[in-house]
Amino acid sequence: MSYILIFISAVFVNNIVLAQFLGICPFLGVSKKIETALGMSGAVAFVMTIATVITYIIQKSILDPFEIGYLQTITFILVIAALVQLVEIILKKISPSLYQALGVFLPLITTNCAILGVALIVVKKDFDLVESVVFAISTAVGFGLALILFAGIREQLNMSKLPKGMEGTPAALLTAGLLAMAFMGFAGMVKI
């Protein structure tokens, strides 16, 4: 039952983008088209899940036993950077069009605070390995859901007639705020 609560909490209640405000850069930058939002969601999900597993293992097998927890942040950042390079190489070979569509935002996964945030939250909440993986996957699903919903709304807004002062970024920020308020409706459903 706790896995279901972790999933619901990470996807809806404590959505990494809309409730915790982590990962805003790719949220705003890659949300102009649904195709690129799907690609970014997949790349973030892969990196987030693998990074969480590796950082959990490093935390429990090296940092905690040797009492060098002060190296946690730099270690986690290095792991995430290496994984992003791996994803970049794979995407370049498998899907050059998606690689081109993601452009500068693919290297930005390295500095995506949502990925580092999940790795740190897992340690802070003292999850075991399975709970950590469930949390990472759930958070990635929540990130993807928010990103894809936002991309769909932005595509619709691009086809709508808006006042001159609301076109582009103002409409996107207002939409993001309304989406965050909609997700706030889930607050209080579960407590993790």
Side-chain angles (χ1 to χ4, degrees):
M1 188 63 172
S2 68
Y3 301 135
I4 294 170
L5 292 177
I6 290 171
F7 180 82
I8 292 170
S9 175
V11 173
F12 299 110
V13 179
N14 295 317
N15 187 286
I16 198 82
V17 177
L18 301 173
Q20 297 180 25
F21 307 113
L22 297 173
I24 296 292
C25 182
F27 178 71
L28 293 174
V30 189
S31 60
K32 292 181 182 170
K33 294 182 181 175
I34 291 179
E35 299 85 37
T36 54
L38 283 167
M40 179 59 94
S41 298
V44 166
F46 176 76
V47 172
M48 190 177 286
T49 305
I50 301 300
T52 301
V53 170
I54 293 172
T55 55
Y56 178 88
I57 292 169
I58 289 171
Q59 180 73 36
K60 297 299 181 186
S61 64
I62 298 172
L63 299 178
D64 286 349
F66 292 107
E67 297 178 4
I68 51 175
Y70 57 89
L71 293 175
Q72 180 186 58
T73 304
I74 192 71
T75 304
F76 288 9
I77 289 171
L78 290 172
V79 167
I80 292 165
L83 285 171
V84 169
Q85 291 301 311
L86 177 69
V87 169
E88 194 169 354
I89 291 167
I90 290 170
L91 275 181
K92 201 174 203 179
K93 287 187 182 235
I94 292 176
S95 180
S97 61
L98 179 59
Y99 174 78
Q100 297 248 324
L102 291 175
V104 71
F105 295 103
L106 191 57
L108 285 178
I109 292 177
T110 304
T111 57
N112 186 345
C113 53
I115 295 171
L116 179 61
V118 168
L120 294 172
I121 289 169
V122 161
V123 172
K124 182 182 175 190
K125 291 191 181 235
D126 201 29
F127 285 149
D128 62 29
L129 184 59
V130 176
E131 289 172 335
S132 299
V133 170
V134 169
F135 182 74
I137 291 170
S138 302
T139 302
V141 168
F143 177 84
L145 176 66
L147 187 63
I148 292 164
L149 283 172
F150 190 54
I153 294 170
R154 284 185 78 178
E155 280 188 359
Q156 185 65 36
L157 282 174
N158 285 338
M159 294 186 292
S160 301
K161 179 105 171 106
L162 296 174
K164 198 75 163 157
M166 284 299 294
E167 291 176 353
T169 305
L173 292 175
L174 185 62
T175 302
L178 291 172
L179 197 55
M181 286 175 50
F183 269 69
M184 282 178 60
F186 295 110
M189 264 178 50
V190 291
K191 202 77 155 163
I192 291 281

